[in-house]
Amino acid sequence: MEPQLQKLYKDTVRSALKSQLALENVHQVPKLEKIVLNCSVGSQGERKQAVEDAVNDVTLITGQKPVITLSKKAIANFKLRQGEPVGVKVTLRGRRMYDFMMRLVKTAIPRIRDFRGVATKAFDGRGNYTLGISDQSIFPEVELEKVKRTLGFDITFVTSTSNDDHARELLRALGMPFRGKTTQAKADGSAEAAA
């Protein structure tokens, strides 16, 4: 069965973006290509155990086993040797990508205390957006009793466009709660309330 967010993109978001961005061809409409989660445990005391915890938590959150990233060079000040594990990363595509995005937008982000929207300036100039999460416990899959250490990670949304404005509109249409303007879901809700 097709993920709900993917179905939403195909049925409504794609055609809406085509007219909103004044694009001639449906293949020019931006789409989400992959989501990359990157978690670093570089400064933790027991680095080996911290990497194991990060692997377990990221596997729980994404439903996919991450790759362990190794240090490229030795840094004496951080007591780090070359080739030591310093973090984990996972690349989500297709069904898992849409499922993760749906859970992030609908259940995880709303659990952040005093949340007022995500920053709109975290685009890299090539249509990709990076969101920093400081605590893994916002995800409902993570059991608070089993959390041994707080792990922060970066979530990068890679889109098919090189235009930041187009990528912003795509993510907004998929439910990303950007600061400032109301999101698509909220706009729809207020329209229903007014009617």
Side-chain angles (χ1 to χ4, degrees):
M1 200 171 115
E2 200 174 37
Q4 192 179 350
L5 200 62
Q6 189 173 8
K7 194 172 186 309
L8 176 79
Y9 174 78
K10 285 181 179 173
D11 295 349
T12 57
V13 171
R14 191 163 48 188
S15 55
L17 282 176
K18 183 175 179 275
S19 57
Q20 183 185 343
L21 303 174
L23 300 170
E24 293 173 17
N25 193 323
V26 74
H27 298 293
Q28 292 176 307
V29 176
K31 64 177 184 278
L32 204 55
E33 290 192 334
K34 62 182 176 179
I35 295 177
V36 182
L37 259 86
N38 186 19
C39 174
S40 174
V41 294
S43 61
Q44 300 281 351
E46 316 134 359
R47 199 174 282 126
K48 198 171 181 183
Q49 185 59 46
V51 168
E52 279 180 36
D53 293 342
V55 167
N56 295 336
D57 283 351
V58 172
T59 305
L60 262 177
I61 291 165
T62 61
Q64 186 171 312
K65 191 165 182 179
V67 176
I68 294 172
T69 53
L70 306 173
S71 61
K72 290 181 180 162
K73 58 183 180 180
I75 302 170
N77 290 349
F78 297 118
K79 296 177 181 162
L80 183 68
R81 293 191 193 98
Q82 186 176 356
E84 268 194 323
V86 288
V88 297
K89 76 170 185 178
V90 65
T91 304
L92 303 170
R93 288 185 172 89
R95 184 185 180 83
R96 280 197 179 125
M97 172 184 74
Y98 282 107
D99 282 340
F100 174 77
M101 172 102 184
M102 184 79 160
R103 282 185 289 116
L104 176 74
V105 170
K106 299 285 184 203
T107 57
I109 289 179
R111 291 175 67 166
I112 298 173
R113 188 179 299 167
D114 299 330
F115 180 69
R116 290 188 178 86
V118 296
T120 54
K121 295 179 181 174
F123 285 88
D124 66 352
R126 293 188 297 277
N128 305 319
Y129 181 72
T130 302
L131 174 69
I133 301 286
S134 58
D135 186 7
Q136 81 273 33
S137 65
I138 63 165
F139 288 94
E141 296 87 0
V142 178
E143 293 178 40
L144 291 173
E145 303 86 50
K146 294 182 180 175
V147 173
K148 293 173 188 166
R149 52 177 58 82
T150 302
L151 293 173
F153 42 83
D154 293 329
I155 304 170
T156 304
F157 300 88
V158 180
T159 64
S160 62
T161 181
S162 56
N163 184 325
D164 283 353
D165 295 329
H166 289 193
R168 189 179 297 111
E169 291 310 316
L170 166 69
L171 292 175
R172 183 175 279 132
L174 291 175
M176 185 64 74
F178 285 114
R179 226 172 263 144
K181 286 186 182 177
T182 56
T183 60
Q184 193 70 35
K186 283 183 182 171
D188 291 347
S190 61
E192 285 167 20

